[in-house]
Structure formats: structure tokens, C-alpha cells
Amino acid sequence: MEFDTDALNQLMSSKYDRRSTRPAPTHAHLEAFRRKEFSEADIAEVFHENTKYTERTNRSDQSTMSHFVHDETMQYALSKAPPEYEGHERIDLPTPAESFDVDLSDAIRRRRTVRSYSGEGLSLDRLSTLLYYSCGATGRLSAPDGVENFGRAYPSGGGLYPVETYFAVLNAGDDLEEGLYYYVPDDHALRVLRRGDESFADEVAELFATGGVLDPTNAALSFAFTAAFWRSKAKYGPRGYRFALQESGHIVQNVQLVATAMGLASAPFAAAREDEVNDFLGIDGVDEAAIYTGFVGVPESERAGHVSDGGGQR
């Protein structure tokens, strides 16, 4: 195969089409790109270098890590660490579907980011299945000292699970009203943080800089995964921050695969106005902050009535 190297070089030159909305890259930028190095004082390098696993960080972490392994009080406290939002209305979710009509291999092949939705909502049954297989507590784990905890549908550094699940229902479905909810994985239940009103979907849409690529008000729900950073950093130091980011990626991949198996559409979406998202969720943005957002909806080509509650396409 022959390549037009002149055309390829032109893409990376300063002779960029001025009609494009993208600015022309500078020679300095291209030189840095060719070197594949961080620039001076690049915050990405600070993060990368300070969250590496090294012999030095391993030695400094040993003292704190030992408390999490051997201290019974610490283990018990961690098993009770996630917020419950007690005092808020609780909704116990129905039993999730036992299986899907779509094989895992097929779901992986078909997984795509889809940004167009029908405006229909999800039923409480379908939401239950989506949450359980994406980020639910799927089994019990017992420590040698007898303290019991739950294992979930995704891996977490040290089993600390710093990532929390919030979502805004933008279009009501069967037994599921518009509003802001928090998911309690260990109980497979919801806490109602706020009921929606006529302007709720528009309010959520304002949290995102969509640029016209999607209309949030047509999605069934918008998810926001947050990180309670110190739940992980208390054990792993700065590396705990890296672990929280990795964990959110594990969960969103689950969301997309489960949504695909259920005949739903999903889209991770990074252009969230994060300070506004934190305010909307009622979190401080420091000890707990939004780190991954996106949407799930009924695709325009698939109506809710054409997909079984168990999730598989007919």
C-alpha cells in the first residue's frame, strides 16, 4: 500500500486550512509531539509521575496499607463507608433479569457510542437490570476476621470502591419518575435526592456543552459517576486518585455493554461543566467530585415496546 506522505505531512504542518474551526498547530507544538515528551510544568506529568508504582512509593504506602489489611476497626469502617443518604426516600429495585438474549461476544462487537435517542424513558425493571450488571453488588466477600463486604460487577483497587453512582432520569418510564437518584449497590436500591419538574431535563442539559452533537432531553437518563477520593487515597496515597479514575472506566464500559445487550443506546460524554455538575449533585467537588458522565436512552430505531424487559432484543 502506498501512502501520500506529502498529504500526511500537511496535516501536521502550520499550513492549515483557515476555514477550519481548529487552530493551526504551532511548530513548537509539533516539535513537542515528535519528541513524545511532557512540556515543562505539564500538570499531566505531575499526575503521571506522582501516581506511579515504584519501590519508593511502595515503602511509603506499607504503613498505611497494613492498617487496611490487619486492623479490624478499619475493615469494619470501610464496609460501612459509602453514603446511604439516610432520610431520603428509598426505592427498592425489582429483581434484575437473570440473563440476556445477547452473548457477551456479540455485545462487545456491537458496542458503539450512540448519541441519538427517542425521548422515551426506562421502566424501573429495566433500570434495575442496567444498574445491577453495570455497577451492582454481585456477591458477598468475607475477610478472615469475619467482616463481610460485597463484591461488585467491576474491579476496584483494594476493594475500596471509591466511585459512587448518581443519575438523573430525564424522561419518566413505568414506575420511574423524573428526578435525581443515588444508587445503593449493596442493597440494590435507590435514594431519591430530588424529584423533577417541568424544567428538570432542560436544567440537566445545561450541565453539558453538547455542541449540537446530542440532545440530552431525549435521553432516558444521564449518569454521573463521582469519586470519594480519600476512600482510596487513605490507603494508597496519590495512586488512589489514579485508581478511582480507572474504576470509573471499568464501570462505564459495563454500562455500555449492558446497554447494548438490552437494546439501549449509550454515550460517554466528557464535555460536562464539572463545577456545575458537582453543585447539581450536592457534592463539594473536592472530597467527592464528578469524574465520568454520559447518557443512556432508547435509540430512535428501537422502541421500548420492541425490547423485552429482560433486556435482549427480539
Side-chain angles (χ1 to χ4, degrees), residues 163-203:
V163 176
E164 302 291 347
T165 302
Y166 299 79
F167 62 93
V169 173
L170 305 176
N171 286 285
D174 292 344
D175 301 317
L176 183 62
E177 298 180 13
E178 295 176 357
L180 176 63
Y181 298 82
Y182 169 79
Y183 178 50
V184 186
D186 291 358
D187 297 333
H188 193 51
L190 306 178
R191 290 288 187 180
V192 182
L193 304 185
R194 173 186 168 187
R195 291 291 185 184
D197 54 25
E198 292 182 356
S199 62
F200 182 75
D202 291 327
E203 181 183 350

Side-chain angles (χ1 to χ4, degrees), residues 36-39 41-58 60-61 236-242:
K36 301 293 192 298
E37 295 176 355
F38 290 107
S39 62
D42 189 332
I43 193 65
E45 182 179 22
V46 176
F47 167 79
H48 185 75
E49 293 298 327
N50 283 276
T51 59
K52 282 181 176 178
Y53 178 87
T54 66
E55 290 304 315
R56 179 183 61 81
T57 59
N58 181 44
S60 65
D61 290 347
Y236 294 110
R239 284 191 299 128
Y241 191 95
R242 181 188 287 218

Side-chain angles (χ1 to χ4, degrees), residues 195-219:
R195 291 291 185 184
D197 54 25
E198 292 182 356
S199 62
F200 182 75
D202 291 327
E203 181 183 350
V204 174
E206 288 298 315
L207 301 175
F208 299 91
T210 63
V213 300
L214 63 77
D215 182 355
T217 62
N218 284 333

Side-chain angles (χ1 to χ4, degrees), residues 7-28:
L8 292 175
N9 289 334
Q10 190 176 17
L11 290 175
M12 293 301 295
S13 75
S14 59
K15 297 177 181 179
Y16 205 83
D17 183 1
R18 293 181 182 274
R19 292 173 298 177
S20 172
T21 57
R22 296 184 179 182
T26 65
H27 288 294

